[in-house]
Every structure is written in C-alpha cells, then in structure tokens.
Amino acid sequence: MKKRGIVALLAAGAIVASLSACAGGGTTGGSSSSGADEGGGQLVGIAMPTQQSERWIQDGNALKEQLEDQGFTTDLQYAEDDIPTQISQIENMITKGAVALIVAAKDGSALTTVLEEAASQDIQVIAYDRLLVNTDAVSYYATFDNFLVGQQQAWSVLNGLGLTELDGTPIDGAPAGPFNIELFAGSSDDNNATFFFNGAMDVLQPLIDAGTLVVKSGQTDFNVVATQDWLGANAQARMEDLLTKSYSDGSKVNAVLSPYDGLSRGIASALKDNGYAVGAGWPIISGQDAEVLSVQYIETGEQYATIFKDTRDLAAQAVKMTVAVLNGEEPEVNNTTDYDNGVKVVPSYLLQPVTVVKDNITTALIDTGYWTQAEIDGAKAE
Ligand code: BGC
C-alpha cells in the first residue's frame, strides 16, 4: 500500500520534473531539477567507503545535495575502510526505512548478507563507482569506464616519456628507450582495481614485450603490485623496497604507473627519500581522481597526470537511476556486458573519464568549477 502510493507520487513528480525540464531548457552538469519533489521525503541511504580519499567526500556531498534537491532525505555514512562498520551502517539504513541504497563498497564481496536483507524488503540497491559482487541484490551500477581509466593512465605515462599522444597515438620519431618503469595497482578487494590494471597492461604489455619498457623488479602480476586499502603509505613502502632491491646499482626509475593520486604521492615521497628531485630526471608518475594536492603537484611537475572522474556527474547518474527504479522504470544504461559480478551481469552506466596534464588543468578542472586556482595553490600535504 505504502509503496504504491509512493510510486504514484514519484511518477507524478517525474512528469512534473520532465515537463519543467522541457520548459526550462535543461540544466548543466547533470544536476537535478531544483524544487522538484520526486522524493516525497523518502529516505535514501548513501554508504561510502572512507573519508581518507578526498573523492569519496565529494561523491557523498554531491549525492546528498542532489537527492535532497529532489525531495529525498538522506543518511550519508562513511565506513572508514572497515567492513563491519559498513555492514552495520547499511543495517541501520534498512532499519530506518530506506527505500533505496547507493553503495560504494569498501570490499565489494563483503556485503552479500546485508544486501540480501535489503532485497528481501524490496529496497533498491545501486552500486556506486565500485561493483558489488557475488550478489543478486544489486539492480544497477553507475560508474566510469574503468578499463579506459587504466588505458588512459598508461597512455599518460607514455605521453610523459614522449612515446605517444594522450590518446595512445604513437608519436613519430619517439625515443627508442629503454625506459625503466615500475607498476602499482589498487586494492584487490575493489573490483575497479583489476579493471584499471588490465586496461593499463593492455597498453603497456606490448611495449614491455618489445623491450621499450623494462620492469626491473620483474613485478608485473596484479597480486604482487596491488596496494592494500589503496593506502599511500603502503605504496610508499613498496616503492622504497623496489628502489633498494632493484635500483641500488645506480640505474634510475623513469616512470611509475600509479592508479590513484594518493598512491602517487606516497611513491613520490619514497623517490625523494632516495635522492630523486623534482626536475630533470624525475620520473613520470600517473594518477587518478584529480585530488587537489595532486593537481598542484601536476603544476609543479611532481606528478605528470591524473584521470579526472567528475564526481558530480557520477552522483547525478546514480540519482537518476535511483529515481527511475523507485518509479518502477528502467534506468538508462550503456553497458550490459562488462560488469559480471559472479551472479549476474549488472546493467551499468559508464561515464567517460578525462586525462588531465598541466596543459588542461584550467579547462578540465577550473572552468568546470571542480577546483578553484586558489584551492589548488593552497593545498597542503597532511
Ligand atoms: C575509485 C577510484 C579511487 C580508488 C581509491 C576506486 O574504486 O574508482 O576513483 O581512486 O577507488 O579510493
């Protein structure tokens, strides 16, 4: 009874919203139609993995703001990378009567039981950025093209070495190398980490095979190069180790494939501790997330590139999906093949990531309102 009424209310709200969207000529940045009341005060739970990495704070805020704009109430929780905490936060959301859950999991495979509980109460579950695996209880997935993110990271490294354009197009007369490169991957409990690494290796492996790139440590296996919990400190420790074990003969690292800005900063610290200095001879380092301090580092040359994934657009996509499923409609998806979670292929909407180097910081990040120049200039290492 209650649900039917809500669905009717939501449907009415959606009609009003779409009419006003037509009249108003739409909005920019995928933000919600202001003043609409699709939500009718219903609760949506937003379960985010951690506040350690800046992007999740941006995601959480964007989701909360956009849902509340549409008349929902929200419960935004951060699990601080602790599985039991995330489970109990989601249990709480269920108890409080959430009609939908938007979940970015700490560990995509650890939420099976609590998600079953949600499904048994007809609560809609949207996987946010990271896939929820080994469960039937996830309806849709909003994310970026994660394989492409990995390719872009690799292309950015090759671009820094003078081998290709940022889209992977080979550069005529490129140097022959060989270049020493070391590889890092993300946390193995995050489905994205494998996608990023596979995308990057799709680009790098042929060059490793050809001898243009040399991984002196010999460490090229995902499980060996993965960085538990995506922690910068873990990447820093592994980089220290690599420098000691594989570069004590005076050879230099020319490039580091890093899948996330927080790891890139840890890697840079290890390099500095081992006598490298920003400037000539400083390695090309990739990244992801356009974290504000790393954007500053791109300006100063300490990091070469990052992959920008606009959290406002991802939030907008997830909110659209949530409203659609609550209305009993099928959300728009653009990928129904790639995200097999072990139980089913989860229908997904993949957004396009953008490579950012020194040259396009202004157009990609400042002109779009993601960061101001003052924020970039003022960013400080913790
Ligand atoms: C996200 C990345 C992020 C990483 C660490 C991944 O799941 O897709 O954007 O850098 O987690 O937080």
Side-chain angles (χ1 to χ4, degrees), residues 81 117 131-132 195 203 289 304 311 320:
D81 273 340
E117 198 177 314
L131 188 61
L132 294 161
F195 271 76
V203 173
D289 287 348
Y304 186 73
T311 47
K320 268 207 265 175

Side-chain angles (χ1 to χ4, degrees), residues 262-346:
L263 304 192
S264 315
R265 296 196 296 270
I267 290 161
S269 298
L271 287 162
K272 285 184 193 161
D273 288 349
N274 281 270
Y276 287 74
V278 177
W282 177 256
I284 302 299
I285 307 174
S286 61
Q288 175 171 203
D289 287 348
E291 291 200 337
V292 69
L293 183 58
S294 293
V295 177
Q296 186 193 87
Y297 287 179
I298 294 173
E299 288 186 342
T300 59
E302 179 159 342
Q303 189 171 316
Y304 186 73
T306 189
I307 308 303
F308 173 46
K309 305 191 303 187
D310 196 326
T311 47
R312 298 165 299 186
D313 293 345
L314 184 58
Q317 201 59 43
V319 170
K320 268 207 265 175
M321 279 181 164
T322 307
V323 171
V325 288
L326 289 173
N327 282 341
E329 291 160 7
E330 288 202 3
E332 185 187 357
V333 293
N334 60 11
N335 187 294
T336 51
T337 50
D338 290 348
Y339 288 95
D340 186 338
N341 81 347
V343 175
K344 65 180 190 184
V345 178
V346 184

Side-chain angles (χ1 to χ4, degrees), residues 5-6 10 52 116 120 131 145 177 198 238 255-256 266 269 275 286 292 305 328:
I6 288 164
L10 285 166
Q52 284 292 316
E116 263 167 30
S120 73
L131 188 61
D145 184 337
N198 289 345
R238 178 164 169 263
V256 183
S269 298
S286 61
V292 69

Side-chain angles (χ1 to χ4, degrees), residues 53 55-56 129-130 190 192 196 230 259-260 288-289 309:
S53 141
R55 69 152 294 182
W56 302 113
D129 189 86
R130 299 175 171 175
D190 177 355
N192 285 350
F196 300 149
W230 291 99
Y260 155 54
Q288 175 171 203
D289 287 348
K309 305 191 303 187

Side-chain angles (χ1 to χ4, degrees), residues 19-64:
L19 286 175
S20 62
C22 293
T27 52
T28 51
S31 72
S32 57
S33 44
S34 55
D37 191 25
E38 285 92 337
Q42 298 176 100
L43 179 68
V44 176
I46 308 168
M48 293 286 116
T50 179
Q51 299 188 78
Q52 284 292 316
S53 141
E54 193 173 85
R55 69 152 294 182
W56 302 113
I57 301 174
Q58 317 252 54
D59 290 85
N61 291 342
L63 282 165
K64 184 174 156 61

Side-chain angles (χ1 to χ4, degrees), residues 142-224:
T143 192
F144 283 81
D145 184 337
N146 294 305
F147 190 83
L148 177 59
V149 169
Q151 291 179 308
Q152 289 174 326
Q153 286 169 341
W155 291 328
S156 74
V157 166
L158 299 184
N159 182 256
L161 294 173
L163 296 170
T164 71
E165 305 290 351
L166 285 174
D167 65 0
T169 309
I171 291 176
D172 282 343
F179 297 103
N180 293 329
I181 185 169
E182 293 297 336
L183 312 173
F184 285 74
S187 195
S188 53
D189 51 6
D190 177 355
N191 191 65
N192 285 350
T194 328
F195 271 76
F196 300 149
F197 191 66
N198 289 345
M201 289 311 272
D202 182 61
V203 173
L204 299 178
Q205 191 64 56
L207 293 161
I208 295 172
D209 294 343
T212 311
L213 299 177
V214 176
V215 184
K216 275 198 89 191
S217 67
Q219 299 184 3
T220 56
D221 185 70
F222 175 81
N223 291 312
V224 177

